[in-house]
Amino acid sequence: MSGVTQRWVLDEIVDPYGAKVVVDRAPDGTVREARFDLAGLPRIDALLTGQQVAEVPSLVERLCGVCPAAHHLAGIRALESLAGGVDLPAAAVASRRLLHHASAIASHAVRAVGTDREGAVTLRRFAKAVMTAVGSPGHFPVTAVPGGVASRVGVEDRGRCLELLPAALSAAGRIAERTLPVPGPTDAFRGADVALVDDQGRPDLLGSRLRAVSADGEVLVAAAGTSGWDGLVAESAPGQPAPGPTSSPWDRGGAPTASGRSRNCASGP
């Protein structure tokens, strides 16, 4: 049918494994809410019940095909927390950080293909070199072990990363210059932004404290330790495959306020 143009409208995105995105529209057609409907998928906690504790890190790595490094590190840190916490060698901390940041670069580089294909390929090549250097050349990482890392960064791998670094920095700068001026979504997010931070409240993908900031910039939670997280985050749909995390922040006077939606600012364990 030459000369005929067809326009397809997707009212909902359907996943072959049972997940779909449900769009809730107002009478005037504007989108009020979009949410995942994962009714066809099992709860993760039920899958972990009864498993050997030492096997949990390798199991949670496969929760998400996009960010296995974050789950890998989170699983190992969970084991370490069961032992009351572990003081890691500085080199081990550095290797874990390299793994995490390189994984994030590799994931985000794909999004830049339409903007700067050469730059995206350069960034991904650099990220994979870094992940290989810290002992995780494959998709699922094996870098971290309880108490440290499985291996040290070799001299040759370090040299390879340094060789690729200038081109990666140039590509990242070029992509940022092209994409940052582009306006973002027009629909404002009215929930809380949640991120991991270090002891000083600075953003840290491997931080051990939780920080929450409201849409108007008010700090709701400054730096909550892991022992208090259960009191800060709850499920809006308890027991469901997509529980819908909500936060229970505090106002300036310290009194509980109404629960609100939240989103994480950066993937991290």
Side-chain angles (χ1 to χ4, degrees), residues 1 21 37 48 53-54 62 70 127-128 161 163 167 177 185 189-190 195 209 215 222 257-258 262:
M1 299 174 61
V21 175
D37 180 0
L48 297 179
V53 172
R62 288 156 175 78
K128 297 302 291 185
C161 294
E163 177 185 338
E177 291 175 354
F189 178 75
R190 304 307 304 170
R209 296 184 177 277
T257 63
S262 62

Side-chain angles (χ1 to χ4, degrees), residues 42-57:
R43 286 272 298 202
I44 299 302
D45 44 8
L47 298 178
L48 297 179
T49 301
Q51 300 292 337
Q52 294 291 325
V53 172
E55 296 177 359
V56 170

Side-chain angles (χ1 to χ4, degrees), residues 69-93:
H71 292 293
H72 165 71
L73 294 172
I76 294 296
R77 292 179 70 182
L79 290 186
E80 293 170 343
S81 69
L82 291 177
V86 178
D87 291 328
L88 299 175
V93 174

Side-chain angles (χ1 to χ4, degrees), residues 101-117:
H101 289 297
S103 174
I105 292 173
S107 175
H108 287 291
V110 177
R111 305 180 183 182
V113 170
T115 303
D116 186 336
R117 185 180 185 281

Side-chain angles (χ1 to χ4, degrees), residues 193-216:
D193 284 311
V194 180
L196 291 176
V197 297
D198 61 17
D199 292 340
Q200 284 72 47
R202 298 170 299 194
D204 184 357
L205 292 179
L206 292 183
S208 58
R209 296 184 177 277
L210 192 71
R211 179 181 176 88
V213 180
S214 68
D216 60 6

Side-chain angles (χ1 to χ4, degrees), residues 203-244:
D204 184 357
L205 292 179
L206 292 183
S208 58
R209 296 184 177 277
L210 192 71
R211 179 181 176 88
V213 180
S214 68
D216 60 6
E218 178 186 1
V219 177
L220 303 174
V221 180
T226 54
S227 61
W229 289 9
D230 286 345
L232 297 174
V233 180
E235 296 182 355
S236 59
Q240 297 300 312

Side-chain angles (χ1 to χ4, degrees), residues 132-197:
T132 298
V134 296
S136 293
H139 183 69
F140 294 105
V142 293
T143 296
V145 295
V149 291
S151 61
R152 294 184 177 183
V153 176
V155 175
E156 292 185 4
D157 287 330
R158 178 178 179 274
R160 173 63 173 165
C161 294
L162 291 175
E163 177 185 338
L164 296 174
L165 180 58
L169 290 174
S170 176
R174 191 168 64 247
I175 292 172
E177 291 175 354
R178 294 179 180 178
T179 57
L180 290 180
V182 178
T186 56
D187 294 336
F189 178 75
R190 304 307 304 170
D193 284 311
V194 180
L196 291 176
V197 297

